[in-house]
Amino acid sequence: MTSNNEKKLLTKSDINKVFWRSFTVNASFNYERQMSQGAQYALSPILQKLYPDKKELGEALQRHAEFFNTTPMLCPFIFGITAAMEEENATQEDFDPNTINSVKAGLMGPLAGIGDSVFWGTLRPLAGGIACSLALSGSVLGPLLFLIGMSIITLGVRYLGVFKGYEK
């Protein structure tokens, strides 16, 4: 088995850019392609680095203009995997770029189901219930605990997700 370490073009800084840009994935939500423009924006720094040729960059951007929709907290995981696949596409002649969208599409639904259940169906009501009980007893900690707790958990999942996705 050969190692691809010598072919790595992306750095931790590049993956960090994808992480930070992933927060805007819902900013351009539309009913035709949902989060595709947000995905393009999040991935554009790595695409520009991997494809200096304008024609190749245009093909890569077109690839990510396809329909995309999943839970925003789990988007970075998919973006990490996509970054690794784009890196393979840029460095290997025999890589089929159609697999990139196939993997993205295959992960959208399952991760949306998991993410919606965990974040919106379990974590938010649980944290909200604790925050409400504290707030009803007159404590200012209720809303603060809710905001800080939810932020720490979602930030952690997003950050670990983008790097684990890229690594795997």
Side-chain angles (χ1 to χ4, degrees), residues 14-89:
D14 296 324
I15 304 303
N16 271 329
K17 289 177 187 174
V18 174
F19 164 72
W20 287 111
R21 286 173 167 239
S22 73
F23 286 95
T24 64
V25 76
N26 272 340
S28 60
F29 189 91
N30 64 69
Y31 289 107
E32 182 183 356
R33 296 192 178 159
Q34 311 257 321
M35 300 173 163
S36 67
Q37 290 176 332
Q40 279 181 321
Y41 177 73
L43 293 168
S44 65
I46 63 149
L47 296 176
Q48 290 171 352
K49 182 174 184 175
L50 293 173
Y51 305 110
D53 178 57
K54 293 225 184 261
K55 183 178 185 284
E56 289 178 339
L57 177 61
E59 290 170 359
L61 288 171
Q62 186 65 38
R63 234 187 335 271
H64 298 292
E66 297 297 319
F67 178 86
F68 182 76
N69 187 30
T70 194
T71 301
M73 280 69 87
L74 297 180
C75 281
F77 179 70
I78 296 174
F79 295 159
I81 292 171
T82 303
M85 292 182 78
E86 287 288 357
E87 185 176 46
E88 283 186 47
N89 186 44

Side-chain angles (χ1 to χ4, degrees), residues 2-168:
T2 60
S3 173
N4 285 340
N5 289 341
E6 66 275 5
K7 294 183 180 180
K8 294 288 182 193
L9 300 175
L10 299 177
T11 64
K12 184 176 180 179
S13 173
D14 296 324
I15 304 303
N16 271 329
K17 289 177 187 174
V18 174
F19 164 72
W20 287 111
R21 286 173 167 239
S22 73
F23 286 95
T24 64
V25 76
N26 272 340
S28 60
F29 189 91
N30 64 69
Y31 289 107
E32 182 183 356
R33 296 192 178 159
Q34 311 257 321
M35 300 173 163
S36 67
Q37 290 176 332
Q40 279 181 321
Y41 177 73
L43 293 168
S44 65
I46 63 149
L47 296 176
Q48 290 171 352
K49 182 174 184 175
L50 293 173
Y51 305 110
D53 178 57
K54 293 225 184 261
K55 183 178 185 284
E56 289 178 339
L57 177 61
E59 290 170 359
L61 288 171
Q62 186 65 38
R63 234 187 335 271
H64 298 292
E66 297 297 319
F67 178 86
F68 182 76
N69 187 30
T70 194
T71 301
M73 280 69 87
L74 297 180
C75 281
F77 179 70
I78 296 174
F79 295 159
I81 292 171
T82 303
M85 292 182 78
E86 287 288 357
E87 185 176 46
E88 283 186 47
N89 186 44
T91 58
Q92 296 178 7
E93 291 291 324
D94 60 342
F95 190 85
D96 181 12
N98 294 325
T99 60
I100 297 169
N101 273 347
S102 297
V103 169
K104 271 176 54 181
L107 290 173
M108 282 189 301
L111 289 181
I114 292 168
D116 287 350
S117 298
V118 170
F119 291 102
W120 304 127
T122 304
L123 186 61
R124 188 174 63 164
L126 182 64
I130 293 169
C132 285
S133 67
L134 288 171
L136 287 172
S137 66
S139 175
V140 178
L141 284 177
L144 292 175
L145 187 65
F146 176 80
L147 291 172
I148 292 170
M150 287 291 291
S151 295
I152 288 171
I153 292 169
T154 58
L155 278 171
V157 168
R158 282 174 175 264
Y159 190 76
L160 290 174
V162 75
F163 283 98
K164 286 296 178 188
Y166 177 71
E167 179 185 309
K168 300 294 178 190

